[in-house]
């Protein structure tokens, strides 16, 4: 993986980056909005992530071989769905903020067509909404 380039979306504190850099891949772009996560990411890697991915054009993201995304998964997750329901929150793609971020991943994948992508493991993503998700 030495020559592979990747992007780190919804980067958090850099879990995907640690894994991919450990096998020689190079991070060419990162995005995160949480200020505390950004500060930790910068402390860990010397690189402050770009901000809100919904405001970043796909053409402004460097070419890459792998897209990594730890997107907010609560509206899809088996662990969170009952809580969201009890609070009257919308689920899946209907959630106004967290549910729509998946579309930004798709937007970037469609534009760049990387060789691979890695998404956060979300129990129940495949089965959400009767398998329609």
């Amino acid at each position: 993986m030495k020559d592979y380039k990747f992007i780190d979306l919804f980067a958090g504190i850099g879990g995907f980056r640690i894994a991919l850099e450990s096998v020689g891949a190079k991070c060419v772009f990162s995005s995160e909005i949480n200020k505390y996560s950004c500060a930790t990411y910068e402390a860990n890697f010397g690189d402050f992530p770009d901000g809100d991915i919904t405001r970043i054009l796909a053409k402004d993201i460097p070419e890459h071989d792998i897209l990594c995304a730890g997107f907010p998964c609560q509206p899809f997750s088996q662990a969170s769905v009952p809580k969201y329901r009890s609070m009257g929150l919308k689920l899946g793609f209907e959630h106004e903020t967290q549910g729509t971020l998946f579309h930004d991943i798709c937007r970037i994948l469609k534009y760049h067509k990387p060789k691979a992508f890695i998404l956060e493991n979300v129990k129940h993503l495949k089965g959400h909404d009767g398998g329609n998700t």
Side-chain angles (χ1 to χ4, degrees), residues 1-87:
M1 287 199 54
K2 197 170 172 181
D3 297 325
Y4 281 88
K5 294 182 277 185
F6 68 94
I7 62 172
D8 195 7
L9 307 181
F10 316 101
I13 61 171
F16 281 128
R17 186 167 178 163
I18 289 169
L20 288 171
E21 285 185 344
S22 76
V23 294
K26 178 181 171 43
C27 185
V28 295
F29 177 84
S30 61
S31 174
E32 174 58 56
I33 61 167
N34 181 282
K35 68 180 181 179
Y36 301 109
S37 294
C38 287
T40 302
Y41 196 94
E42 183 178 37
N44 287 342
F45 306 107
D47 177 22
F48 196 87
D50 282 58
D52 185 350
I53 198 63
T54 66
R55 297 172 188 247
I56 299 170
L57 300 174
K59 71 178 182 68
D60 294 334
I61 297 171
E63 291 297 318
H64 53 279
D65 302 297
I66 305 168
L67 176 148
C68 298
F71 69 102
C73 59
Q74 293 86 348
F76 303 98
S77 170
Q78 182 177 3
S80 297
V81 165
K83 178 181 176 183
Y84 273 44
R85 272 198 186 112
S86 72
M87 295 170 58

Side-chain angles (χ1 to χ4, degrees), residues 64-122:
H64 53 279
D65 302 297
I66 305 168
L67 176 148
C68 298
F71 69 102
C73 59
Q74 293 86 348
F76 303 98
S77 170
Q78 182 177 3
S80 297
V81 165
K83 178 181 176 183
Y84 273 44
R85 272 198 186 112
S86 72
M87 295 170 58
L89 298 173
K90 293 183 180 179
L91 303 175
F93 298 127
E94 300 299 316
H95 192 278
E96 295 84 7
T97 54
Q98 294 174 327
T100 60
L101 293 170
F102 186 82
H103 298 298
D104 289 290
I105 296 168
C106 294
R107 169 179 62 87
I108 295 164
L109 285 170
K110 185 175 180 180
Y111 183 88
H112 283 282
K113 297 178 176 49
K115 293 177 173 95
F117 62 93
I118 304 169
L119 303 181
E120 181 176 348
N121 182 20
V122 179

